Amino acid sequence: MTLVLSGRKYAGVVKASLKNRVSDLQGLPPGLTVIMVGDDPASKVYVAAKEKACKKVGFNSHVIHLPAEISKADILSVIDRLNADCAVHGILVQLPLPDHIPAGLIASAVLPEKDVDGFHPVNVGRLWRGEEGLFPCTPSGIVGLLHHHDIRMSGKKALIVGRSNIVGKPMAALLLRENCTVTVAHSRTADLTGQCRDADILIVAVGKPEMVQRDWVKPGAVVVDVGMNRNSDGKLVGDVAYDDVFAVCSAITPVPGGVGPLTIAFLLENTFKARAKLLAK
Ligand code: GUN
């Protein structure tokens, strides 16, 4: 029997727990401020979803919309103001940014203790060193989902396909912390199919509709699909050919309802954690 790893259900569990923990808090509730630069339609949808999720669990939430033409100096001064604001525990700058604003510059400007995306170089360093910190939401959610389903990671061969700073690289660091033997594959990897077939845990984050086929997957493997694509019929599909792979793997995340909902749930977790750390200072 193949296990369906429902991120939607697990995100519901995480958010219900957060709502309880928030109602037990004294003083200011956790506060998240999201900065959105320009009018990217997909970003608008994500930002609205983040705001709604915050309200549902009792967080304070603010969105700051800035024009696409804003200068680097002006966006940095908005971030400085939020870094200094005691009611703001988490700051997230929605990506993508306009071309004239380097994402690395912005990630480094957010106070590491408020960096709920886990993109600041200090948090990246803490992640790889095995220290406490704030770590990227999507990979954190995936590790949480696997734990929630009692999926053993220690000693397993994990292959991550995709090397982005948001998913692939932090996923590698987190799975290393879980004692997996980790390989990161990418567009230049030789024999990608063979690499995939060798994996006990296969995490795919490449943005290619249904790229991973049934014969790419080791029987009994655990498959996590981070992709979210439209196929030629306009249907929402992942990076994995779900129905075919379902027949050979032991567990798989669906699309939609798999990894997607975890990102927001773990953004809320990070904000809750950031507040606790900031107040304990
Ligand atoms: N855009 C798409 N995913 C993300 C994310 O995880 N964080 C931010 N800040 N922007 C994104």
Side-chain angles (χ1 to χ4, degrees):
M1 258 293 275
T2 303
L3 179 64
V4 177
L5 304 169
S6 169
R8 190 174 287 142
K9 282 191 193 153
Y10 173 54
V13 171
V14 170
K15 287 192 271 187
S17 151
L18 275 166
K19 194 174 176 179
N20 279 329
R21 284 179 277 152
V22 171
S23 67
D24 289 342
L25 290 176
Q26 313 280 330
L28 269 183
L32 174 69
T33 296
V34 175
I35 298 175
M36 183 171 155
V37 186
D39 290 305
D40 180 68
S43 291
K44 276 189 184 168
V45 173
Y46 293 136
V47 168
K50 285 167 186 169
E51 205 177 8
K52 189 172 156 198
C54 279
K55 299 255 152 75
K56 267 199 160 162
V57 296
F59 285 16
N60 285 334
S61 139
H62 294 283
V63 179
I64 299 178
H65 282 277
L66 299 173
E69 314 74 53
I70 192 166
S71 68
K72 276 190 257 183
D74 285 349
I75 182 169
L76 290 175
S77 81
V78 172
I79 293 172
D80 278 347
R81 177 169 61 74
L82 297 172
N83 281 341
D85 184 339
C86 304
V88 175
H89 307 112
I91 302 168
L92 180 146
V93 182
Q94 185 67 28
L95 301 176
L97 288 165
D99 290 344
H100 68 283
I101 302 179
L105 176 82
I106 299 305
S108 300
V110 174
L111 199 68
E113 286 68 29
K114 298 190 179 188
D115 167 37
V116 285
D117 255 330
F119 294 166
H120 191 288
V122 163
N123 282 316
V124 176
R126 286 175 179 156
L127 171 61
W128 283 97
R129 287 170 61 111
E131 296 170 1
E132 280 283 304
L134 293 168
F135 306 140
C137 305
T138 304
S140 299
I142 291 170
V143 169
L145 180 70
L146 298 182
H147 275 302
H148 179 70
H149 287 280
D150 288 327
I151 288 172
R152 192 190 148 115
M153 288 176 265
S154 182
K156 300 290 183 191
K157 278 191 211 172
L159 178 74
I160 300 146
V161 190
R163 55 176 155 178
S164 70
N165 288 322
I166 298 185
V167 181
K169 286 184 214 165
M171 189 78 253
L174 284 171
L175 289 175
L176 207 49
R177 288 172 72 132
E178 298 295 330
N179 301 309
C180 285
T181 301
V182 178
T183 305
V184 181
H186 46 78
S187 52
R188 308 283 176 89
T189 294
D191 189 21
L192 178 60
T193 317
Q195 289 284 349
C196 288
R197 225 182 271 136
D198 200 33
D200 303 311
I201 299 173
L202 177 59
I203 314 241
V204 194
V206 288
K208 289 200 173 165
E210 300 178 313
M211 178 185 80
V212 174
Q213 301 287 313
R214 180 186 179 132
D215 62 342
W216 291 35
V217 176
K218 183 199 270 191
V222 172
V223 179
V224 176
D225 189 349
V226 188
M228 184 75 95
N229 320 285
R230 297 262 167 211
N231 70 6
S232 49
D233 301 332
K235 188 183 164 215
L236 204 55
V237 295
D239 293 345
V240 175
Y242 184 84
D243 292 338
D244 289 349
V245 170
F246 186 94
V248 290
C249 66
S250 64
I252 185 165
T253 58
V255 176
V259 171
L262 300 175
T263 304
I264 290 185
F266 276 74
L267 171 65
L268 301 177
E269 275 290 346
N270 274 353
T271 306
F272 189 91
K273 187 170 156 187
R275 175 192 178 276
K277 269 269 155 81
L278 286 162
L279 293 186
K281 263 188 161 184

